[in-house]
């Protein structure tokens, strides 16, 4: 499954924060690239766990997909 989401990145102190508003998920990293990769990992893990619990469709529906 492929979905397109928004990724917002900003700097806080010496870290970069990455945020996906559609899914209300966030992560951070020491560089922009690390923050992006960490956000992708958070989303992937969250989707996998929701799939295991049978809640993935509800998560996607709540996010407007």
């Amino acid at each position: 499954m492929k979905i397109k989401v928004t990724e917002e990145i900003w700097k806080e102190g010496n870290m970069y924060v990455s945020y996906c508003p559609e899914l209300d998920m966030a992560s951070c990293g020491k560089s922009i690239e690390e923050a992006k990769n960490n956000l992708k990992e958070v989303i992937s893990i969250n989707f996998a766990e929701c799939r295991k619990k049978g809640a993935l469709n509800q998560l996607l529906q709540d996010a407007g997909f």
Side-chain angles (χ1 to χ4, degrees):
M1 168 191 333
K2 288 190 177 197
I3 61 171
K4 287 189 176 193
V5 294
T6 306
E7 179 182 42
E8 299 174 3
I9 299 178
W10 65 89
K11 191 168 186 176
E12 282 190 15
N14 61 350
M15 298 292 286
Y16 289 90
V17 177
S18 54
Y19 177 65
C20 175
E22 294 91 351
L23 301 172
D24 194 26
M25 295 183 198
S27 192
C28 63
K30 294 179 182 175
S31 68
I32 291 173
E33 195 62 34
E34 183 178 19
K36 284 182 176 189
N37 289 334
N38 289 344
L39 180 60
K40 288 177 189 175
E41 185 176 0
V42 165
I43 292 170
S44 177
I45 290 169
N46 207 308
F47 277 18
E49 290 301 312
C50 284
R51 188 177 299 121
K52 285 181 192 175
K53 294 179 181 182
L56 182 58
N57 286 339
Q58 187 63 50
L59 172 76
L60 293 173
Q61 208 170 40
D62 290 348
F65 294 99

